[in-house]
């Protein structure tokens, strides 16, 4: 077809002939991908064979799976797992924000405290930390409030004050706070430096700058990986048996199978519940990410583009995808053109 | 020119007084002893090639950069330091913030708060920093937006405003703190050519009202028309200064001539 080149690149090659011919939709024979079909068929066949085999394998004991899936003890344990996740995440997020802000503080004392916290809680395994929290009443037999070297005003026994559920929440939350602090810090650093300068130049204090200007803008970077942390926390709750706290999903199903001498069906039951919860969270996260990447797309086409922020978002999303199976869609590619300072006019 | 009057009050204290202001980043000396004076109601344009230290000097005036040597005072008050018994004391951040309240700054990249509407941008500092009542702040913020010609854009987010509109909101935001001095750091350099005029018009209006302004700019037309004085800087020193018409028409120094021949 001899259409005139709209962009004028090859204007010399095609002589202009009055009006440009109307462009027709391309009719081409589609490229075939025969190997894709072959592999798909092969994989489906292998999977089907595995499923059929599993269905008749006695060790899976499917009748028991069905029996225990909605057992009251199990569903109560599932509820406790949710409670552990929610309480620890809420505390971890609040503490994480505080720690992140502390790490970026101009005050070297505050900065060092935050650094020390992260060093301890990221540097030791969560399982070890949970075990230590379980033994806390051996280390500190009573909790006293008062001045050092004087009779305390209030004193109560550690064992009475902190039950194993509370200790599990404390252990999970303090560990997670260290990771949340790093996520929040990355978010804070993603906000354009000009924002801080503008608010400082208006006479705003450091804390006002943080709470009014920097933190709200860093949310779009913080929220997607936080969703990932929630999913991760849900699974980490299975470790609180180290405290020992035994009423959550995994430990509860282990305890039941200790009575029935039949561990495999109960492990399947626990896995089904975990998968159910993580699937719900993943769907939520998918929509959350879609919502926030759309916001970034809007900003990028805009003239007041804050370069670094968008860079971090697209950097974060593949990490999220890599950590979890495929439910999470890759970031929407509605950010045309160069990332970063592309729109820096 | 020494008896400039503003609001009927005669004052001999210059608005900005810089004496041998020096600033180094590591071993790199960006400002090598800047001495200049800006009187009340004066509009001074700072021009020069990029990297000459104009912006750094401007940022020193509201303590966004800390001086390495020299003294800088605004309205007779030393910036960033307190002087007592012949000694200098570093200021607490709170005190520095208090000084900045009276100095408005407009940035090349606007730096509007993208999560707030135009109106909220203008209201933020009077509300949070001065703690003024909301109704009062809102009505004066709307007045300011009207003054920069954006009364109908009050509820727009920065993302939905053009560059020129954003910069005008940024000017209104700085004016909301009722500053006695306005600093403009290349306010039109990030704008499309057809949007430059609307921002310069707002600045001309401000100059006419007697605002003391220091403007880092490449807009020589603006400098000639509006500025009371023009300072040409190069490599961290003031090469030449004087009336804009004179400096632009008959630059004495070779470096000034070379620069002006490129930009005019």
């Amino acid at each position: 077809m001899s259409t005139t080149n709209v962009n004028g690149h090859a204007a010399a090659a095609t002589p202009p002939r009055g009006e440009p011919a109307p462009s027709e939709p391309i009719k081409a024979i589609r490229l075939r991908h025969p190997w894709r079909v072959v592999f798909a068929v092969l994989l489906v066949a292998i999977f089907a064979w595995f499923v059929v085999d599993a269905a008749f394998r006695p060790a899976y004991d499917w009748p028991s799976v069905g029996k225990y899936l909605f057992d009251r003890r199990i569903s109560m344990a599932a509820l406790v797992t949710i409670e552990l996740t929610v309480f620890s995440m809420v505390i971890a997020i609040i503490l994480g924000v505080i720690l992140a802000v502390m790490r970026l503080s101009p005050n070297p004392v505050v900065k060092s405290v935050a650094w020390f916290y992260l060093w301890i809680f990221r540097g030791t395994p969560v399982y070890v930390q949970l075990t230590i929290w379980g033994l806390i009443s051996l280390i500190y037999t009573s909790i006293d409030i008062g001045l050092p070297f004087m009779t305390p005003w209030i004193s109560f026994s550690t064992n009475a004050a902190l039950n194993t559920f509370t200790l599990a929440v404390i252990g999970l939350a303090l560990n997670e706070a260290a990771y949340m602090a790093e996520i929040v810090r990355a978010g804070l650093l993603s906000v354009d430096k000009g924002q801080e300068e503008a608010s400082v130049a208006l006479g705003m204090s450091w804390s006002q700058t943080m709470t009014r200007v920097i933190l709200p803008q860093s949310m779009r970077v913080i929220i997607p990986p936080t969703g990932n942390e929630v999913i991760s926390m849900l699974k980490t709750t299975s470790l609180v048996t180290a405290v020992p706290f035994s009423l959550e999903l995994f430990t509860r199903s282990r305890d039941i199978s200790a009575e029935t001498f039949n561990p495999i069906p109960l492990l399947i039951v626990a896995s089904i519940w975990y998968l159910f919860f993580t699937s719900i969270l993943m769907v939520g996260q998918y929509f959350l990410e879609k919502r926030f990447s759309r916001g970034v797309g809007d900003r990028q086409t805009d003239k007041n583009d804050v370069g670094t922020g968008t860079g971090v978002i697209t950097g974060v999303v593949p990490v999220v995808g890599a950590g979890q199976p495929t439910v999470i869609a890759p970031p929407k590619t509605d950010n045309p053109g160069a990332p970063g300072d592309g729109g820096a006019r | 020119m020494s008896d400039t009057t503003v609001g009927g009050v005669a004052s001999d204290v210059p608005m900005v007084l810089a004496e041998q202001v020096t600033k180094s980043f590591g071993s790199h000396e960006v400002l090598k002893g800047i001495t200049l004076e800006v009187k009340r109601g004066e509009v001074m344009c700072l021009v020069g090639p990029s990297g000459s230290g104009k912006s750094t000097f401007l940022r020193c005036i509201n303590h966004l950069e800390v001086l390495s040597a020299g003294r800088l005072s605004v309205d007779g008050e030393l910036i960033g330091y307190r002087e007592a018994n012949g000694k200098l004391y570093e200021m607490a951040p709170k005190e520095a913030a208090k000084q900045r309240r009276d100095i408005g700054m407009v940035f090349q990249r606007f730096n509007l708060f993208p999560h707030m509407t135009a109106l909220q941008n203008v209201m933020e500092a009077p509300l949070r920093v001065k703690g003024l009542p909301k109704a009062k702040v809102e009505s004066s913020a709307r007045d300011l937006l009207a003054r920069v010609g954006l009364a109908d854009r009050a509820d727009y987010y920065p993302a939905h405003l053009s560059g020129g509109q954003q910069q005008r909101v940024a000017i209104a935001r700085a004016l909301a703190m009722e500053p006695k001095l306005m600093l403009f750091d290349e306010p039109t350099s990030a704008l499309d050519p057809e949007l430059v005029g609307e921002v310069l018009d707002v600045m001309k209006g401000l100059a006419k009202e007697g605002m003391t302004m220091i403007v880092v700019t490449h807009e020589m037309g603006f400098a000639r028309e509006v500025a009371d004085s023009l300072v040409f800087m190069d490599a961290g020193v003031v090469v030449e200064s004087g009336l804009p018409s004179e400096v632009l028409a008959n630059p004495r120094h070779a470096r000034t001539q070379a620069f002006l021949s490129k930009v005019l």
Side-chain angles (χ1 to χ4, degrees):
Chain A
M1 272 176 30
S2 73
T3 50
T4 30
N5 191 321
V6 183
N7 296 321
H9 286 308
T14 43
R17 69 169 70 158
E19 58 196 66
S23 68
E24 292 167 18
I26 294 170
K27 283 180 212 135
I29 293 158
R30 281 203 163 272
L31 186 60
R32 307 268 180 215
H33 298 281
W35 286 107
R36 286 187 193 173
V37 180
V38 171
F39 275 119
V41 168
L42 205 66
L43 284 173
V44 168
I46 291 172
F47 185 69
W49 171 73
F50 175 80
V51 168
V52 170
D53 174 76
F56 294 103
R57 226 167 246 276
Y60 283 116
D61 195 1
W62 294 109
S64 294
V65 172
K67 181 178 156 201
Y68 286 107
L69 189 56
F70 298 107
D71 186 288
R72 191 173 160 72
R73 287 171 294 179
I74 291 289
S75 44
M76 286 310 286
L79 189 68
V80 172
T81 291
I82 292 287
E83 282 174 4
L84 280 172
T85 309
V86 170
F87 288 147
S88 348
M89 264 332 274
V90 168
I91 297 171
I93 288 170
I94 294 168
L95 199 57
V97 170
I98 294 170
L99 283 166
V101 170
M102 281 170 75
R103 271 200 89 179
L104 296 176
S105 158
N107 180 340
V109 179
V110 169
K111 217 180 199 159
S112 318
V113 169
W115 181 88
F116 184 77
Y117 183 96
L118 261 71
W119 182 61
I120 294 289
F121 282 91
R122 285 205 311 169
T124 56
V126 63
Y127 195 80
V128 173
Q129 287 173 28
L130 286 167
T131 314
I132 293 174
W133 282 109
L135 299 174
I136 201 82
S137 62
L138 291 184
I139 308 171
Y140 304 101
T141 46
S142 67
I143 298 171
D144 302 334
I145 297 170
L147 294 172
F149 310 113
M150 286 166 68
T151 325
W153 303 323
I154 309 165
S155 175
F156 41 85
S157 138
T158 307
N159 261 335
L162 303 171
N163 61 28
T164 49
F165 179 81
T166 316
L167 286 172
V169 168
I170 291 174
L172 290 172
L174 296 197
N175 178 262
E176 180 59 28
Y179 292 92
M180 279 308 303
E182 286 300 87
I183 289 171
V184 175
R185 192 171 78 112
L188 296 179
L189 290 177
S190 76
V191 178
D192 185 45
K193 184 106 181 44
Q195 292 292 311
E196 187 183 336
E197 281 181 355
S199 67
V200 165
L202 285 168
M204 291 168 82
S205 69
W206 184 77
S207 60
Q208 282 173 329
T209 302
M210 273 294 160
T211 53
R212 298 288 308 169
V213 176
I214 310 290
L215 259 178
Q217 290 184 57
S218 60
M219 281 307 165
R220 65 180 67 234
V221 175
I222 292 171
I223 285 177
T226 301
N228 205 35
E229 290 297 306
V230 175
I231 292 171
S232 170
M233 174 61 88
L234 183 92
K235 296 176 293 178
T236 309
T237 55
S238 62
L239 297 182
V240 297
T241 179
V243 170
F245 176 74
S246 58
L247 295 177
E248 52 69 50
L249 196 49
F250 175 66
T251 318
R252 205 68 225 261
S253 52
R254 292 289 286 178
D255 287 351
I256 295 172
S257 62
E259 294 164 16
T260 61
F261 300 107
N262 193 6
I264 292 166
L266 276 145
L267 286 176
I268 294 173
V269 165
S271 299
I272 290 172
W273 277 98
Y274 282 122
L275 263 178
F276 172 66
F277 289 137
T278 50
S279 303
I280 292 175
L281 289 172
M282 279 169 164
V283 170
Q285 196 187 9
Y286 170 74
F287 284 108
L288 215 59
E289 270 177 24
K290 219 168 113 174
R291 160 115 180 69
F292 276 88
S293 64
R294 188 182 59 198
V296 172
D298 281 344
R299 290 263 299 287
Q300 236 184 10
T301 53
D302 175 64
K303 288 171 182 171
N304 189 25
D305 168 39
V306 181
T308 44
T310 57
V312 170
I313 272 273
T314 40
V316 160
V317 177
V319 174
V320 170
Q324 301 295 330
T326 50
V327 175
I328 298 160
K332 290 270 291 285
T333 49
D334 55 354
N335 326 327
D341 278 288
R345 299 177 313 98
Chain B
M1 251 188 138
S2 63
D3 55 356
T4 323
T5 57
V6 169
V9 183
S11 173
D12 288 336
V13 183
M15 186 53 88
V16 177
L17 183 62
E19 297 163 278
Q20 291 300 318
V21 168
T22 306
K23 171 71 188 172
S24 318
F25 291 103
S27 61
H28 179 51
E29 204 170 43
V30 180
L31 299 177
K32 300 168 183 166
I34 304 287
T35 299
L36 54 79
E37 194 182 313
V38 183
K39 298 188 176 64
R40 259 159 226 286
E42 181 177 337
V43 176
M44 175 184 277
C45 279
L46 282 178
V47 300
S50 61
S52 59
K54 311 163 292 205
S55 292
T56 307
F57 177 67
L58 204 66
R59 292 160 59 83
C60 284
I61 297 174
N62 70 352
H63 211 52
L64 279 179
E65 303 286 356
V66 181
L67 306 193
S68 308
R71 294 162 70 87
L72 202 130
S73 57
V74 172
D75 205 9
E77 221 181 296
L78 213 53
I79 287 293
Y81 299 92
R82 214 167 349 96
E83 193 170 34
N85 311 321
K87 281 183 193 157
L88 284 184
Y89 295 87
E90 208 179 322
M91 265 187 185
K94 222 178 204 173
E95 294 171 275
K98 202 166 185 183
Q99 285 185 329
R100 290 195 188 102
R101 290 183 196 184
D102 298 333
I103 305 172
M105 180 137 185
V106 175
F107 299 85
Q108 182 178 352
R109 293 279 307 275
F110 331 134
N111 296 349
L112 287 181
F113 305 134
H115 58 301
M116 301 181 191
T117 62
L119 185 68
Q120 287 167 337
N121 263 283
V122 179
M123 289 172 66
E124 183 66 13
L127 270 184
R128 308 286 156 186
V129 178
K130 285 191 172 169
L132 298 174
K134 193 171 175 192
K136 196 181 155 210
V137 170
E138 184 172 339
S139 78
S140 50
R142 284 191 189 279
D143 289 348
L144 279 170
L145 285 175
R147 196 164 140 199
V148 298
L150 291 172
D152 56 334
R153 294 286 186 274
D155 297 320
Y156 282 54
Y157 283 91
H160 301 124
L161 297 173
S162 74
Q165 290 170 335
Q166 287 190 52
Q167 193 61 297
R168 286 188 279 155
V169 173
I171 294 173
R173 179 176 69 172
L175 290 175
M177 291 298 283
E178 296 175 326
K180 52 190 177 192
L181 168 68
M182 284 285 282
L183 308 175
F184 293 86
D185 188 1
E186 305 201 22
T188 57
S189 299
L191 297 176
D192 287 339
E194 78 269 22
L195 301 176
V196 168
E198 61 189 64
V199 172
L200 291 182
D201 285 343
V202 169
M203 291 167 63
K204 280 175 203 166
L206 265 182
K208 223 170 266 170
E209 289 163 30
M211 175 64 77
T212 314
M213 292 159 63
I214 305 180
V215 185
V216 171
T217 187
H218 296 297
E219 297 291 332
M220 296 303 157
F222 174 81
R224 186 174 318 166
E225 189 185 338
V226 182
D228 300 306
S229 60
L230 187 128
V231 171
F232 174 72
M233 280 177 70
D234 190 17
V237 293
V238 172
V239 176
E240 191 166 344
S241 63
L243 288 172
S245 52
E246 285 171 17
V247 177
L248 291 173
N250 305 304
R252 277 165 293 163
H253 203 285
R255 276 194 278 178
T256 322
Q257 288 165 3
F259 176 74
L260 290 178
S261 70
K262 279 178 209 152
V263 294
L264 283 180

